[in-house]
Amino acid sequence: MSTDTPAPASAPPDRYVAVQQSDEFAGLRKALRGFVFPMTAAFFLWYALYVILSAYARDFMGTKLVGNINVALVFGLLQFVSTFLIAWLYSRFAASKLDPTADRIREELVGTAESRDPAGTVTPDDEAQPKDKEVAS
């Protein structure tokens, strides 16, 4: 029994090199790096501050804020908050800046612009394509 689906049409290897060398792809990589590198540096600095303060500023980190909640606990919880915030910001950034360009590049590369609508759903043309049939053993 075969459950393999047909591989999507792909472009010749030299086409991938041409796309990689295109200005549009270079702009996509620059936009990605413009977000990822500064955000990564900021997060590492924030984490390093937490670790350094925990190691060398014990009195400050042990300062009680409310009941048994101290500065160290708040900083630790803020690590989680900052992680989720960065993920949310990246998701918004990618959806608005990266995905449209990446979709255009992919459509030019494999020619899916004709057979799929912008939402990526199957069009009647796709349904007319022959599909692999299961073979009983």
Side-chain angles (χ1 to χ4, degrees), residues 48-132:
L49 174 68
Y50 174 62
V51 172
I52 290 168
L53 289 175
S54 294
Y56 297 108
R58 291 183 160 273
D59 291 337
F60 170 69
M61 294 297 270
T63 303
K64 297 207 184 254
L65 299 174
V66 177
N68 287 330
I69 298 174
N70 61 14
V71 173
L73 180 62
V74 172
F75 271 37
L77 292 174
L78 286 175
Q79 292 291 317
F80 289 100
V81 171
S82 63
T83 300
F84 286 110
L85 178 65
I86 291 169
W88 178 72
L89 288 171
Y90 176 76
S91 176
R92 289 184 50 144
F93 175 78
S96 66
K97 304 280 191 242
L98 302 178
D99 291 349
T101 304
D103 290 342
R104 257 192 325 275
I105 291 171
R106 182 173 43 266
E107 287 173 357
E108 290 173 10
L109 189 61
V110 295
T112 59
E114 301 161 350
S115 64
R116 297 205 176 266
D117 68 9
T121 57
V122 177
T123 61
D125 293 338
D126 290 340
E127 292 173 358
Q129 298 291 332
K131 297 187 180 0
D132 286 347

Side-chain angles (χ1 to χ4, degrees), residues 10-58:
S10 63
D14 58 335
R15 181 69 182 124
Y16 288 107
V17 173
V19 167
Q20 182 185 13
Q21 295 170 349
S22 72
D23 291 337
E24 191 173 30
F25 187 77
L28 180 64
R29 289 178 55 184
K30 182 179 179 183
L32 176 67
R33 289 178 178 161
F35 181 89
V36 171
F37 289 158
M39 197 61 68
T40 301
F43 182 79
F44 280 142
L45 289 172
W46 162 234
Y47 180 73
L49 174 68
Y50 174 62
V51 172
I52 290 168
L53 289 175
S54 294
Y56 297 108
R58 291 183 160 273

